[in-house]
Structures are given as C-alpha cells and as structure tokens.
Amino acid sequence: MKTLSLLAVAAALASGVSAHYRFTSLIANGQTTGAYQYVRQNSNMNSPVTSVTSNDIRCNTGAGSGAGTQTATVAAGSTVGFQMDQAVYHAGPVAVYLGKAPSTAASWDGSGANWFKIYEIGAVITPSSITFPTDKATFTFSLPRSIPSGEYLLRIEQIGLHSAGAPQWYISCAQLNITGGGSANPAKVSIPGYVSASDPGLTVNIYYPIPTSYKVPGPAVFSG
Ligand SMILES: *[C@@H]1O[C@H](CO)[C@@H](O)[C@H](O)[C@H]1NC(C)=O
Ligand SMILES: [Cu+2]
C-alpha cells in the first residue's frame, strides 16, 4: 500500500511538472501561426519565472534573443493573440505589453523603458470567492490603432497566484512589425522594474481572507 501510494504521488508530481502551460503560437491576420514561428522559444521547458526583478521576466528564460524567430507583419488596430499548448490552470491575472524595439524586434533583448500595457484580465470577486477568467488556452485582443508603426515585442504574462507569497510567471514574447500606425506616445515602463515584488497584486493570498479588491500589477492599460 505504501509503495503504491508513493508511486501515485510520484506520478502526480511528474505529470504536474510536465503539464505546465505555454504561450506557443502567435495569432495574427486571422490565423494561428506555428508553434515558436513568431514566438521566441524559451529554454526552461514549461517552468515559470519566479523573480520579478530578473531579466528573465521580460520574455522568459533563454528568450533574450530573437535570432531564430520570425517577425510577423500586422496592422495597427488589428486583432492579435496567443494560442497555448494547453489552458491556463493556475489562478491569476493576464497582462499583455508591447515593447518598441530600438531597431529590429529580432535584435532587441527587451531592455530600456520601452514597454506599455495594452490588455489585461483581472479578478472576479464575490463575497465568497476570487476567481480569474484566465483559465483558457486562447487569448486575443486588439493592437492600439494610434501607436507608431515599427517593430515591437508583444509580451504576454499570466501570473500564477496559487501559492501565496510565491508568484509564478508564465511568459512569451512574439515579434511584430506593426504597420499603418499613428503618432501616440504612451507612457512607458522598464521590464524588470514595471512591478515591485511587494506589489499587493503579487503578495495577495487568494484563499483567506478573500480579497475585496484586486488590481492587476503594472501600469494602466493604454487603449490608444
Ligand atoms: C514591415 O512592414 C513594412 C511595410 O509593409 C515592410 O516594408 C517591411 O519589410 C516589414 N519588415 C519586416 C521585418 O517584415
Ligand atoms: Cu504549477
């Protein structure tokens, strides 16, 4: 009996480790593109990033260069998104950022105060529960119409809050060439730097007491 239950625990742990979700494909121009065709591939399999002050928080571990990744041309104002290998299952918010590349998206490591938030999904709170409607495998949203044309990194993060005090980031960056934009100049942040480890949206305990409010970490959404 003891051996059997240990085996069961080992199997559960193994499947838990291998089962983490990843943002593998860009959705653009009405199509779901190939896995890691326009999305930078990370080197840490499906493990989360756990330090909000690490450079890995930009595009995930091992995704500082886009040399092996293509850049997709999309129109400002159009719908883009990410397809995952499987649905999100850790409770927590989603936020999407655009970072303006100083030259090409492929050659940018994501450094500098070049990032602004374009989309987020926060919490649904009732007197007895806090939930996050992020438990899905496809995320789509609009690019602002007014931002300057040019090359960008499109970054998505889902923050797992299931282990109070130890948030986990599931992250990917896609490379975009945005056309037909305008002349807006949204306020920008650096990543890391955009969120502090003491942010209440990270330190929250979602189990007890049930929070009465929740603010997605990072700057306000620029909707353009
Ligand atoms: C970006 O789009 C412009 C306008 O369509 C095009 O001329 C340019 O070649 C594109 N760049 C890349 C890297 O695809
Ligand atoms: Cu997990």
Side-chain angles (χ1 to χ4, degrees), residues 71-74 104 150-151 177-179:
T71 299
T73 297
V74 296
T104 65
E151 296 199 25
N177 176 32
I178 298 180
T179 61

Side-chain angles (χ1 to χ4, degrees), residues 1-199:
M1 282 305 277
K2 185 153 200 182
T3 309
L4 271 179
S5 62
L6 280 176
L7 278 174
V9 168
L13 283 173
S15 69
V17 167
S18 65
H20 269 140
Y21 41 89
R22 291 175 279 195
F23 299 92
T24 48
S25 296
L26 174 71
I27 300 167
N29 302 311
Q31 296 197 322
T32 301
T33 60
Y36 300 115
Q37 185 180 0
Y38 298 103
V39 173
R40 290 187 180 182
Q41 185 147 22
N42 56 302
S43 62
N44 55 340
M45 301 295 288
N46 46 32
S47 300
V49 175
T50 56
S51 168
V52 74
T53 55
S54 157
N55 286 346
D56 290 348
I57 205 77
R58 287 175 189 152
C59 290
N60 210 343
T61 303
S65 161
T69 311
Q70 295 178 55
T71 299
T73 297
V74 296
S78 69
T79 297
V80 295
F82 287 90
Q83 177 63 43
M84 310 188 74
D85 58 349
Q86 63 169 307
V88 167
Y89 61 82
H90 286 317
V94 160
V96 177
Y97 291 77
L98 275 175
K100 183 87 167 66
S103 58
T104 65
S107 65
W108 185 39
D109 64 1
S111 58
N114 296 22
W115 297 90
F116 52 99
K117 190 194 274 178
I118 61 165
Y119 180 71
E120 66 182 26
I121 303 174
V124 175
I125 297 176
T126 73
S128 61
S129 72
I130 177 169
T131 56
F132 293 84
T134 56
D135 50 344
K136 50 186 194 168
T138 307
F139 294 84
T140 58
F141 37 85
S142 297
L143 295 173
R145 209 171 276 284
S146 59
I147 55 171
S149 299
E151 296 199 25
Y152 289 81
L153 290 178
L154 177 71
R155 170 184 181 272
I156 190 166
E157 68 176 6
Q158 194 268 336
I159 309 175
L161 299 175
H162 51 295
S163 179
Q168 301 182 349
W169 279 262
Y170 298 88
I171 313 161
S172 280
C173 290
Q175 297 177 187
L176 297 185
N177 176 32
I178 298 180
T179 61
S183 57
N185 185 19
K188 302 196 180 59
V189 296
S190 300
I191 300 178
Y194 73 128
V195 173
S196 115
S198 60
D199 189 297

